[in-house]
Amino acid sequence: MSTFSHLNAQGEANMVDVSEKSDTARSALAKGYLVVSQAVIEGIATQSVKKGDVFAVARVAGIQGAKRCADLIPLCHPLALSKVDINFAVDDANRRIEVTCLCKVTGKTGVEMEALTGVNVALLTLFDMCKAIDPGMRIEGVGVVDKQGGKSGHWQAGSNT
């Protein structure tokens, strides 16, 4: 008998049964960074990146990534997301682009994996669109920073609860 939630009694991978859980409003906010060269920041600012509007394309990619999370992560439940919001902030001083992904759902399970997938797909898309300018970019600091709903209530990164 296993104490892991995603293993059955025989130790095999198993999707958790959430059928008895109540539907509640849930949200998760994930964040990550793409560390870039000054040339990338300038290319984005002047809209001279040859592949086009990097933020528009990465936003759509991130939304699509969040929606397809259960297709990518084997034991995630498919969710009918009610909101996916991808945002970008250019941090000139630290030569990086911050990407956030907020996901919301009313359901039986949380949306942390969807928010993380959305952030990662948006970051990978930014990388793809800018790699001709700077192949040495790197993704860092990806994580959930806030989640609400369900049995555990509200949690924020850095809090002890």
Side-chain angles (χ1 to χ4, degrees), residues 10-38:
Q10 292 76 38
E12 302 162 334
N14 178 51
M15 182 184 268
V16 173
D17 182 359
V18 296
S19 60
E20 299 299 318
K21 293 175 81 176
S22 298
D23 285 340
T24 61
R26 298 162 184 268
S27 67
L29 178 68
K31 170 169 68 171
Y33 300 93
L34 183 65
V35 179
V36 301
S37 66
Q38 188 61 39

Side-chain angles (χ1 to χ4, degrees), residues 94-152:
N94 293 304
R95 288 194 355 249
R96 64 186 188 173
I97 300 165
E98 178 185 87
V99 179
T100 59
C101 178
L102 171 68
C103 290
K104 292 183 177 183
V105 71
T106 298
K108 300 175 185 300
T109 186
V111 290
E112 300 89 7
M113 295 308 299
E114 289 73 12
L116 287 165
T117 302
V119 161
N120 277 292
V121 171
L123 286 163
L124 289 167
T125 301
L126 289 175
F127 191 104
D128 178 55
M129 294 190 74
C130 298
K131 67 186 177 203
I133 300 169
D134 179 9
M137 295 176 291
R138 70 180 184 279
I139 293 170
E140 66 181 25
V142 175
V144 175
V145 295
D146 188 271
K147 70 182 214 93
Q148 297 186 44
K151 197 166 55 173
S152 59

Side-chain angles (χ1 to χ4, degrees), residues 37-71:
S37 66
Q38 188 61 39
V40 170
I41 290 175
E42 289 170 10
I44 292 171
T46 61
Q47 296 183 345
S48 61
V49 176
K50 291 186 181 187
K51 288 192 175 185
D53 184 341
V54 297
F55 290 155
V57 175
R59 179 172 285 113
V60 172
I63 292 167
Q64 189 66 18
K67 290 168 50 177
R68 300 294 302 257
C69 179
D71 293 335

